[in-house]
């Protein structure tokens, strides 16, 4: 809170989703991993095949959070709301694990 009160610009509370990149030897391996990821709830997962034939499977969660807290140094939310955001972000971290 002390750092937030001293801020002169815009401050955003941001929680990034889990991302795991896996290099696969065969497309079938990537497809199997993709199916497992989707079935496990990682709905933003996908397969990329590069120009050189490199096959990458990305396991991505949807657990993101981005909330503005201040604008031009003016606090927009209460300390209670920030504590709530931290709890929500920690829950999302547990879901990632």
């Amino acid at each position: 809170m002390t750092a937030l009160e001293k801020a002169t610009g815009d401050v955003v509370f941001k929680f990034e989703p889990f991302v795991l990149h896996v290099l696969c030897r065969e497309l079938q391996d990537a497809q199997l991993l993709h199916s497992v990821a989707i079935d496990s709830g990682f709905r933003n997962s996908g397969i990329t095949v590069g120009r050189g034939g490199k096959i990458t499977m990305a396991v991505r969660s949807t657990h993101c959070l981005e909330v503005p807290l201040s604008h031009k140094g003016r606090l927009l939310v209460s300390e209670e709301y920030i504590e709530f955001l931290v709890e929500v972000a920690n829950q999302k971290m547990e879901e990632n694990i």
Side-chain angles (χ1 to χ4, degrees), residues 3 10-11 16-17 19 21 25 49 58-59 70 75 77 92 96-97:
D10 295 353
V11 175
E16 295 283 344
V19 179
H21 290 103
R25 286 194 176 123
V49 180
V59 180
S70 72
L75 188 61
V77 297
K92 290 179 180 295
N96 276 341
I97 293 169

Side-chain angles (χ1 to χ4, degrees), residues 4 11-15 65-69 77-93:
L4 187 56
V11 175
V12 176
F13 183 93
K14 191 170 185 179
F15 177 84
L65 179 66
E66 187 170 352
V67 181
L69 300 180
V77 297
S78 68
E79 184 173 351
E80 180 182 2
Y81 185 68
I82 293 170
E83 290 170 1
F84 170 74
L85 289 176
V86 171
E87 287 178 25
V88 170
N90 286 337
Q91 288 172 351
K92 290 179 180 295
M93 181 64 82

Side-chain angles (χ1 to χ4, degrees), residues 19-32:
V19 179
L20 172 68
H21 290 103
V22 180
L23 190 60
C24 300
R25 286 194 176 123
E26 303 289 333
L27 183 58
Q28 296 85 347
D29 299 330
Q31 290 170 327
L32 177 60

Side-chain angles (χ1 to χ4, degrees), residues 1-70:
M1 285 305 298
T2 302
L4 187 56
E5 290 166 358
K6 291 179 183 178
T8 58
D10 295 353
V11 175
V12 176
F13 183 93
K14 191 170 185 179
F15 177 84
E16 295 283 344
F18 168 80
V19 179
L20 172 68
H21 290 103
V22 180
L23 190 60
C24 300
R25 286 194 176 123
E26 303 289 333
L27 183 58
Q28 296 85 347
D29 299 330
Q31 290 170 327
L32 177 60
L33 181 55
H34 183 259
S35 294
V36 171
I38 296 295
D39 292 344
S40 297
F42 295 99
R43 297 186 308 259
N44 287 347
S45 298
I47 300 170
T48 304
V49 180
R51 290 183 187 173
K54 183 169 78 170
I55 303 165
T56 304
M57 167 54 203
V59 180
R60 296 186 191 100
S61 82
T62 57
H63 301 115
C64 60
L65 179 66
E66 187 170 352
V67 181
L69 300 180
S70 72

